[in-house]
Amino acid sequence: MYSEQRKHNYLFVLMAFIPFALVGCEAPLNLESVDKETSQPIRRTDQLQAIASNDQAMIVVGNNGLVLTTAKGELQWQRHQLKNQPNLIDVESCPDQSFIALSFEKQIWRSNDNGQQWQLINLGTQENMLDLVCAPDGSYWVAGSFSSILSSHDAGASWKEFSFNEDAMLTSIQFVTPQVAYATGEFGMVVRSDDAGASWSLLEPLPNEFYPQATLFKSSVEGWVVGLDGVVMHTSNAGKHWQVQPTPVAAPLYGLHLSKAGLYALGENATVLQEQNGRWVSVTSPPVSAYLRAAETVGDQLLVAGGNGTLLALNSKKNNHSE
């Protein structure tokens, strides 16, 4: 039986891919408005899930095969749609400047030309995969259901599948250094590798079996997890102990982003928080009704992406806060 937090995680991913419907409208359809909307590179029906960048380009991915591309630092978006309209839930850049994206349909998509063309790679697993990373050595790593971790060292031509044989959903995987990696997930599961993913060890679970929606380690010993009810936990000793850090919100938190300006958390109701000396403060943002899930730094701005076609450039200076 799924836990309540697992149900929330699945519902969040699935709802992001359900298109909006207009019902009970008696007014005539405004075709001019429809044409204007469909001519835009970003639309209100877009459910944006992830952002990545390399030295030349930035890419945002979302539902129905959506890929938005722009030259690095320009924010002049071009709209693309992948064949068969896969629902893209993550995208990462690799050391060779290529991009890889993960779809809900258990596929990897790879682009070697900054998102203009994409090659399909089937994962060939029965498990549902939720997070993707390209390791410093260029290998691909994917984490998901039944505590499974998939890896490929030949650009997706073949895959090795490993599981802890626990019925737990892994929601995050990250390489902090070429050797040290972490994965986290349901029931407070935390695992670590100290040999570039060749082997993984279970650590002590997060307090109260906390289910992290996102995890970010900024070093091999210091990291954060975020999740439902606005909860943020922090470790400074490689996951041996975790402490709750206070936040001003009770909304679910879905993403973490580290920039030169600091550490940010993103969540429901257009929530943007910044960490300051162990506490979190709200960053002023437009009052939009949408989740935020991903971010990327663009100069002095923080580009945040989420539901309902939300793609905002916020001032990342530390005085842009509200209590």
Side-chain angles (χ1 to χ4, degrees):
M1 181 178 293
Y2 290 149
S3 68
E4 287 302 314
Q5 290 191 344
R6 182 187 293 190
K7 289 179 182 177
H8 180 276
N9 201 59
Y10 273 120
L11 285 173
F12 176 83
V13 174
L14 290 172
M15 287 299 293
F17 304 139
I18 298 175
F20 294 101
L22 299 177
V23 295
C25 296
E26 297 180 0
L29 183 63
N30 187 334
L31 295 180
E32 182 178 350
S33 296
V34 173
D35 290 342
K36 182 178 180 180
E37 170 73 9
T38 57
S39 68
Q40 300 300 312
I42 306 171
R43 304 169 188 171
R44 287 173 293 179
T45 53
D46 295 336
Q47 307 303 316
L48 309 178
Q49 297 290 316
I51 309 176
S53 64
N54 62 14
D55 292 342
Q56 298 87 33
M58 185 178 300
I59 288 179
V60 180
V61 300
N63 61 320
N64 299 324
L66 174 63
V67 176
L68 301 172
T69 63
T70 183
K72 188 73 172 287
E74 292 187 5
L75 303 186
Q76 299 295 318
W77 298 99
Q78 293 183 335
R79 185 183 184 90
H80 313 268
Q81 193 167 43
L82 299 186
K83 183 180 179 181
N84 299 326
Q85 301 183 19
N87 293 301
L88 302 173
I89 56 178
D90 199 6
V91 64
E92 296 285 340
S93 61
C94 293
D96 65 356
Q97 302 294 300
S98 65
F99 287 93
I100 52 175
L102 173 66
S103 78
F104 196 64
E105 292 78 11
K106 307 174 186 178
Q107 301 165 337
I108 296 289
W109 294 78
R110 181 177 62 217
S111 175
N112 295 317
D113 57 4
N114 294 328
Q116 301 303 304
Q117 299 179 59
W118 294 82
Q119 175 189 359
L120 168 63
I121 302 169
N122 286 307
L123 287 173
T125 179
Q126 295 182 349
E127 304 303 332
N128 296 309
M129 298 289 107
L130 284 187
D131 201 41
L132 166 76
V133 69
C134 200
D137 65 359
S139 56
Y140 302 169
W141 296 80
V142 192
S145 63
F146 202 65
S147 58
S148 298
I149 296 175
L150 277 64
S151 60
S152 175
H153 287 79
D154 51 14
S158 63
W159 292 87
K160 178 181 178 181
E161 186 165 353
F162 169 80
S163 173
F164 286 92
N165 294 316
E166 297 285 346
D167 187 16
M169 174 67 74
L170 294 177
T171 55
S172 178
I173 185 167
Q174 178 192 359
F175 274 78
V176 187
T177 72
Q179 296 297 314
V180 177
Y182 286 91
T184 61
E186 195 176 9
F187 307 119
M189 193 171 188
V190 182
V191 301
R192 172 173 165 141
S193 175
D194 291 295
D195 52 13
S199 63
W200 296 83
S201 300
L202 278 168
L203 305 183
E204 286 296 315
L206 295 167
N208 301 315
E209 295 188 343
F210 180 69
Y211 189 177
Q213 299 293 305
T215 302
L216 189 150
F217 278 82
K218 76 173 186 179
S219 72
S220 60
V221 296
E222 185 175 21
W224 291 261
V225 295
V226 300
L228 301 186
D229 301 320
V231 174
V232 178
M233 293 186 185
H234 171 254
T235 181
S236 58
N237 55 10
K240 293 179 181 178
H241 301 95
W242 294 85
Q243 291 185 328
V244 175
Q245 293 184 326
T247 72
V249 301
L253 299 175
Y254 301 129
L256 286 162
H257 175 70
L258 182 65
S259 74
K260 292 181 179 179
L263 178 66
Y264 295 88
L266 312 167
E268 199 67 59
N269 303 323
T271 296
V272 182
L273 305 177
Q274 186 178 22
E275 189 269 341
Q276 291 190 355
N277 300 318
R279 60 187 291 265
W280 293 78
V281 297
S282 295
V283 175
T284 303
S285 61
V288 297
S289 179
Y291 68 82
L292 297 177
R293 191 172 178 86
E296 189 66 63
T297 304
V298 184
D300 290 332
Q301 293 182 315
L302 183 71
L303 184 70
V304 294
N308 304 342
T310 303
L311 194 57
L312 305 172
L314 306 178
N315 189 339
S316 63
K317 294 182 179 179
K318 291 190 176 182
N319 61 1
N320 189 31
H321 297 134
S322 61
E323 295 297 332

